[in-house]
Amino acid sequence: MSRAQVRAVALCLVINLIDGFDLLVTSFVGPTITREWSLSSSKVGVLLSAGLAGMAIGGLFLAPLADRVGRRRLTLGCLALASLGMLAAAVSRDFGQLLACRVVTGAAVGAMAASLPVLTSEYANHRRRGLVVALITTGYGLGSVIAGIASSLLLGAFGWRSVFVFGAVGTALLFAVALRFLPESMDFLVARRPRHALDKLNRILVSMGRAPVGELPAPPSVATSRKVVLDALFRGSNAVRTVLVWVAFIAAQLTFYFASSWTPSLLLKAGMSAQQGISGGVLFSLGGVTGAILLGLLASRVGAGRLTAAYFGIGALMLLLFSVSLGVLAGALVVAVLVGLFLNGTVSGINVIVPGLYPAEARATALGMAIAVSRLGAVLAPLIAGFLLQAGWAPGSMFRVFAIPAVLGAVATILLGRLGRARGTEPTRSGTVESAVAEA
């Protein structure tokens, strides 16, 4: 890959890192807010779900704008919105205000979550595409790790509001960097033809070490594009494929966001100290980063579909093991790493699988819809856990319950692998542009 491609991919990874911080920071500051505002377990669940509900809104209503205004503009706008949401959270005065701020931040993150994997997939070459897309998803885990470290350093001295200020400043700085270095999608330039599209496309091609083109390839007609999107998602057996993608994504989000949102609090409930709870959350996130990297390295050899199904199955076993290790600090912290490794790997695996199932015209819409639907699992996970905890369930029992959707995700992924790519949806991207990226 050329230096320009590596820079684009690296920037997308850093943006995902900041998104992970902004989204998951409440997992670490939640116990402190709970004590300060005397929140019930059910209200804590609602607070943890607020950002995830915002992600569903962003994936459903904001992500499709990427195919109209471009992935660069959408990402820049969402970075600005996320920074404002984090700053507003830092000065919120009650539960309702903080809840609204978390929804706004989540909406910005949700839109970027649909756009960035597509942009990354476009700038990676064929040989490293699976690895690169998987690496991008490690950003959430890295962001969560930084959120845990920042919480450990800032909570005692400055309070929970300082952690949100830290995130707001970091997001604002990244906006400035992205404004300078984030490239536009080449698919967007060819299909939508904004002003100076040819000049922008040629600058990108030259930066990648490819020859410029004399004219833009003919874009597909709007009617054809809409038909391709609808056929790729909902026609005949393609509809079954799309439903399986949604089921697998919901299962991955349900299990991952239950563990990532509640691990610090549940370790606290199991008798550990607040610092040990934060350590457990950080180790979970580190395991998630490792799992995503391993999946990316192995995907080209084993196959992303089979590997993701294995991650689901082993993740279910790790949740069961975690449920019986909560009473022993060392054992719980070791298993927390393994739980994070396999559960985050399922999310990474699906992000690798989905772009290859749909043509270029449908990828952002397909992934945006899948992410929006999957947010049902992400939103429900903290809510269900909060209500179960308030009803008197033990932390260990809750981990056993959430092993069930991991098994369902494994089944859906196996069936999805047998169906393969959507029929009648060959990519329509220009051969010139496609070959430039593939050969770079």
Side-chain angles (χ1 to χ4, degrees):
M1 291 171 57
S2 68
R3 182 178 299 179
Q5 288 172 278
V6 172
R7 183 172 61 237
V9 169
L11 185 53
C12 289
L13 171 61
V14 177
I15 294 174
N16 255 22
L17 184 152
I18 290 294
D19 287 350
F21 182 103
D22 293 350
L23 183 67
L24 299 173
V25 66
T26 47
S27 302
F28 297 97
V29 302
T32 303
I33 298 174
T34 300
R35 290 193 299 270
E36 182 176 321
W37 288 354
S38 301
L39 300 179
S40 65
S41 295
S42 59
K43 276 196 170 183
V44 175
V46 171
L47 179 61
L48 294 174
S49 292
L52 304 173
M55 285 191 78
I57 295 171
L60 188 61
F61 297 106
L62 296 181
L65 294 177
D67 294 326
R68 292 186 176 184
V69 304
R71 311 202 200 294
R72 171 184 159 83
R73 285 186 180 180
L74 181 70
T75 301
L76 290 173
C78 288
L79 283 172
L81 184 62
S83 180
L84 291 175
M86 292 290 286
L87 187 60
V91 299
S92 59
R93 295 302 172 188
D94 56 42
F95 178 76
Q97 291 179 5
L98 181 58
L99 202 67
C101 294
R102 298 306 298 154
V103 171
V104 169
T105 301
V109 172
M112 287 186 281
S115 183
L116 289 174
V118 177
L119 186 62
T120 303
S121 178
E122 182 178 336
Y123 275 94
N125 60 14
H126 284 317
R127 186 170 52 149
R128 297 185 176 91
R129 185 158 295 157
L131 172 61
V132 165
V133 174
L135 286 176
I136 288 301
T137 63
T138 65
Y140 283 101
L142 292 171
S144 181
V145 170
I146 294 175
I149 295 173
S151 298
S152 296
L153 297 176
L154 298 175
L155 276 176
F158 304 104
W160 62 267
R161 298 178 189 276
S162 64
V163 185
F164 283 104
V165 172
F166 180 85
V169 172
T171 307
L173 291 175
L174 186 56
F175 169 85
V177 174
L179 184 64
R180 171 65 179 85
F181 294 108
L182 185 67
E184 183 54 272
S185 161
M186 290 185 287
D187 280 335
F188 172 77
L189 293 174
V190 171
R192 303 297 297 189
R193 298 172 181 259
R195 288 188 62 188
H196 309 300
L198 180 59
D199 292 338
K200 293 177 181 178
L201 177 62
N202 280 330
R203 282 198 296 270
I204 293 172
L205 291 174
V206 170
S207 71
M208 292 166 54
R210 310 307 302 171
V213 295
E215 60 181 1
L216 290 173
S221 68
V222 175
T224 300
S225 296
R226 289 176 179 172
K227 184 177 183 301
V228 166
V229 171
L230 292 176
D231 286 353
L233 267 69
F234 302 117
R235 184 176 180 180
S237 62
N238 294 347
V240 177
R241 181 177 294 99
T242 297
V243 170
L244 288 174
V245 167
W246 291 356
V247 170
F249 229 146
I250 289 174
Q253 299 281 352
L254 189 68
T255 53
F256 174 75
Y257 281 107
F258 156 70
S260 63
S261 298
W262 274 101
T263 291
S265 296
L266 289 178
L267 289 176
L268 198 62
K269 290 282 185 181
M272 298 184 187
S273 67
Q275 187 60 47
Q276 289 169 342
I278 290 177
S279 297
V282 170
L283 289 172
F284 172 89
S285 300
L286 286 173
V289 172
T290 305
I293 293 174
L294 284 176
L295 185 137
L297 292 172
L298 296 174
S300 60
R301 300 180 181 179
V302 180
R306 287 183 293 174
L307 194 59
T308 303
Y311 267 60
F312 267 118
I314 301 174
L317 293 176
M318 291 302 103
L319 285 171
L320 294 176
L321 184 58
F322 202 21
S323 71
V324 299
S325 65
L326 292 176
V328 182
L329 174 61
L333 294 181
V334 170
V335 178
V337 176
L338 298 175
V339 171
L341 189 153
F342 289 105
L343 295 188
N344 191 47
T346 62
V347 179
S348 301
I350 296 172
N351 274 288
V352 172
I353 294 169
V354 171
L357 296 177
Y358 300 99
E361 295 85 348
R363 284 173 192 160
T365 300
L367 191 56
M369 291 183 66
I371 288 174
V373 172
S374 72
R375 289 302 174 261
L376 175 64
V379 172
L380 286 177
L383 286 176
I384 293 172
F387 283 112
L388 290 178
L389 195 61
Q390 188 163 322
W393 283 54
S397 300
M398 294 166 60
F399 282 101
R400 287 192 289 271
V401 167
F402 279 91
I404 298 173
V407 175
L408 296 177
V411 173
T413 307
I414 291 170
L415 294 176
L416 185 63
R418 293 182 178 180
L419 288 176
R421 184 185 174 87
R423 296 176 183 175
T425 57
E426 290 304 313
T428 57
R429 177 160 50 177
S430 152
T432 303
V433 177
E434 172 70 25
S435 61
V437 180
E439 296 170 9

